[in-house]
Structures are given as structure tokens and as C-alpha cells.
Amino acid sequence: MIPDIDDVAPALREWFDDRRRDLPWRRDSDPYRVLVSEVMLQQTRVEAVVPYYERWMTRFPTLVALADAGLDDVLGEWEGLGYYSRARNLHATARIVRDSAGGVIPDSVAGLRALPGVGEYTAGAVASIAFGRPEPAVDGNARRVLSRLFDLEAPRAAELRERARTLVPADRPGDFNQALMELGATICRPRAPRCVECPLAAWCLARLRGTVGARPGPASRPPVPFFDLGVAVVVSPQGRALMVRRPEDGMLARLWEFPGRTVAAGEPPASAAARAIATLVPDAEPLRPLTTISHAYSHRRHVYHACLFETPRETRPRPRDLARAGWTAAAWERPDPAGRALPAAQRRIARALASLVPC
């Protein structure tokens, strides 16, 4: 029996009505709130998103409030959630919608796809949940459910969207999409799926054929590159440390960090750290290692070797020289540098430093 809309949709929505988790973004179908939640949920677990979402809505309760905020404030609220391009795209989207769309978020997939950082999944999710459009929304959890439901070993994204499209009902399409994702997150799990509790068990082809454990097949991934970085932590007696802002584009764009350089083959980390500050504090001398931080990104792994430096008072760079070079001297009044958004690994270095620098 091939799964179809007349069987799957009612069974899934009935299960969802009875078992749905009480999540803050499900209490209001306001398009802005739906958009924020869907962007936050990209590649991030629900449990991690909940506190960020609640703080975000307190700080930026409306699209206009987000558009009116400065990017540094936005990045600060996002800090720790990772994949910072999502925050930059949300901010850019808010400004575009405020300035050119009268503050109204588009209600079609095509209109949503035209916004920064909004892909096929996010557009389908917002269109269906916020506007009741019968559009598919296939995230990782939905991909697993559909692959097992139709017994697909290595389905392409376009194929899964079309399979999902045949199942999305005109009535409550947003609830259907959320139910599909909820099922994947709680029942149709990657390992040890709870098939006996699944509302779609009667139509699941993989269950019928005994292939649940093999669906979907493992995705091929390239090797993850590994980088050692020497990081210079230059602190003055007054408890101020040199920091530099990352470029406007690329990885961790516009966030602040302690200056660092990739360690060359056979090079001591302290030497790489010294190279990072050579243009502004050429006379700085390494004192000792501060901490070593290992951090995995989605596509690479870094190990940060943070070294404490001191510099002679007479050669310390002046504030205007720092500003001209895109650097700053951050005051350490608490374990975090006030008013500056740092990536997670840099935050850990900051905390190690804060334990040494008197307040």
C-alpha cells in the first residue's frame, strides 16, 4: 500500500493534537515569531533553542524592533547559538521587510525565498505554519520519516519535497508539517525508533519490508579539516585586553575575537600568536600559555592555543591606532567583554582570562 494523503494526514494530525510538545513558538502563529523560530531551529536542537527564543522575543518582540536594533545588539543576543550568518540574515530580512514591504512578511514561498538566508525548508515552514499555505517543509527529521514511510534509500531533496507535497493537506498544513517533524524528533528517531508507537506504522513501507534501520542511508561526508591557531591575549595592568573584529563577510563575520594566526608546520603556537599582533604591538613578549580550547564547527575543527602576552607601557598602541586597524581594548569588568559578541570558543578564552584579571 503506497502511503497517501487520505490515510497519513488525519492519522498524523490526530497524533500531533494529542502528543505535541508545548514549545513557545507554537503558542502564536504570528509570521515574525514563526520565522524567528524556524531560523533558530536550523541545525540546532529544540532544547537549545527554547531559552534563546524566549530571550530574543523579550529583546526584539516585533519585526520593527529587530530592524531598528543595531547588528552588534543582534549578534549579542544570538551569541552561543552558533551559525551566526542566521542572525545577520534575520536582521537583514527585518530591515528589508520594514523598508520595502511595509513591515509585512511575504506569505508565499517565492516571496519568502527572496529574503536573505531563507531556503526551501524555511520558506515552506513559514508559509504553511504562519499563512496556512499547503506547502511542504522537509527538515532532517521529516526527511527520515519520509524516507522510511516510502522506503527510500538515498532520496534527493527534490524527490522528498515532492513526496511530502502529495501528503500536505489543505486543512491545517502547518500542523501537518510540524507533526511530521515532531514524529521524526520523538518517535521515528535515527536509532531505536519506537515503531510500535508510530501513528503511521500501518502505512510505513520500510517497516513492512524490514528496512527501517537502513533508511535513509548514511550521507557521505568529506573529511573535516583540522586547524591549530595561536591566539594572543594581550592584557594591560588595568585589565584591558586587545581584541579584533572579524571581517564583514565569511565565517563568524563581524564578531570580536582575540587576535590569532594559524600555526605553521613545526611552529610553536606562541610564535603564531605573536605574528597576529606584530603590526600593532611588535615588542609584546609571551608570558605563558593561558588555555587550550578545542571547538568543532560544522565544516572544520579548531584548536585555539591562547597565550598571555605583556607589552612595554611605552609601546602600547594608542586607542586611535587600534580603531584605525579595526581593533579595540576591551575592559574586563566581568567574565565577558561588555557589549561585544564573541564566538563560543573565544568566550571560553575570555572566561579563562577573567579568572586571572582582577575586577
Side-chain angles (χ1 to χ4, degrees):
M1 177 188 298
I2 301 298
D4 63 37
I5 190 171
D6 292 332
D7 296 320
V8 170
L12 190 56
R13 286 186 309 193
E14 181 179 354
W15 171 84
F16 186 62
D17 288 342
D18 185 51
R19 302 291 184 88
R20 65 194 293 168
R21 289 175 289 179
D22 181 23
L23 301 173
W25 48 85
R26 288 180 176 165
R27 301 167 193 163
D28 190 331
S29 60
D30 172 73
Y32 166 67
R33 291 174 174 260
V34 173
L35 176 62
V36 170
S37 68
E38 290 301 332
V39 172
M40 285 187 170
L41 287 165
Q42 293 170 8
Q43 303 182 65
T44 307
R45 294 177 61 84
V46 165
E47 295 78 9
V49 168
V50 170
Y52 280 92
Y53 175 84
E54 292 177 330
R55 288 196 299 268
W56 183 278
M57 284 304 162
T58 299
R59 182 75 180 276
F60 312 118
T62 65
L63 181 139
V64 172
L66 175 59
D68 289 346
L71 182 56
D72 284 347
D73 291 335
V74 173
L75 291 173
E77 284 301 316
W78 196 274
E79 187 178 305
L81 197 55
Y83 302 98
Y84 288 88
S85 61
R86 296 180 296 172
R88 293 190 294 272
N89 286 332
L90 260 181
H91 188 241
T93 286
R95 292 194 165 184
I96 289 170
V97 172
R98 179 197 63 187
D99 297 339
S100 62
V104 179
I105 293 175
D107 63 358
S108 68
V109 165
L112 290 161
R113 287 294 308 274
L115 298 173
V118 176
E120 196 82 43
Y121 160 73
T122 302
V126 175
S128 62
I129 297 170
F131 299 108
R133 304 280 189 187
E135 298 285 353
V138 182
D139 72 343
N141 287 316
R143 176 180 182 270
R144 185 167 54 257
V145 173
L146 293 168
S147 296
R148 289 170 173 171
L149 187 63
F150 290 99
D151 194 29
L152 305 173
E153 181 179 1
R156 295 174 291 108
E159 179 183 6
L160 285 177
R161 282 197 300 273
E162 289 311 307
R163 295 274 189 173
R165 193 180 298 279
T166 67
L167 300 177
V168 180
D171 179 38
R172 297 173 58 195
D175 282 352
F176 174 85
N177 283 331
Q178 291 183 88
L180 197 65
M181 293 181 275
E182 183 91 337
L183 187 69
T186 62
I187 300 296
C188 193
R189 301 176 298 186
R191 288 174 292 278
R194 292 149 53 184
C195 295
V196 295
E197 301 177 38
C198 180
L200 305 184
W203 303 281
C204 180
L205 296 182
R207 183 171 184 264
L208 177 65
R209 297 167 182 170
T211 58
V212 170
R215 302 290 183 263
S220 60
R221 296 181 179 178
V224 177
F226 177 92
F227 298 90
D228 272 307
L229 296 100
V231 178
V233 181
V234 185
V235 182
S236 73
Q238 292 75 33
R240 298 178 69 81
L242 289 183
M243 304 197 75
V244 62
R245 190 167 214 162
R246 292 186 60 83
E248 294 287 328
D249 300 309
M251 181 177 171
L252 305 175
R254 290 184 58 83
L255 297 179
W256 290 90
E257 66 181 2
F258 298 98
R261 290 290 185 273
T262 301
V263 178
E267 181 184 25
S271 174
R275 287 193 285 110
I277 56 175
T279 56
L280 282 180
V281 280
D283 297 327
E285 293 290 337
L287 290 176
R288 62 178 178 83
L290 172 64
T291 186
T292 298
I293 302 295
S294 179
H295 188 80
Y297 298 94
S298 61
H299 59 298
R300 57 201 291 161
R301 178 178 291 277
H302 287 182
V303 175
Y304 298 91
H305 303 273
C307 303
L308 277 174
F309 281 74
E310 69 173 354
T311 182
R313 180 179 297 275
E314 60 274 11
T315 62
R316 286 177 192 149
R318 293 170 296 181
R320 66 171 177 268
D321 296 328
L322 291 174
R324 191 179 300 118
W327 294 35
T328 189
W332 298 91
E333 299 169 352
R334 59 178 191 267
D336 301 330
R340 293 177 177 83
L342 273 68
Q346 300 290 328
R347 177 70 59 193
R348 292 168 65 188
I349 297 173
R351 288 172 180 153
L353 174 61
S355 67
L356 301 179
V357 178
C359 297

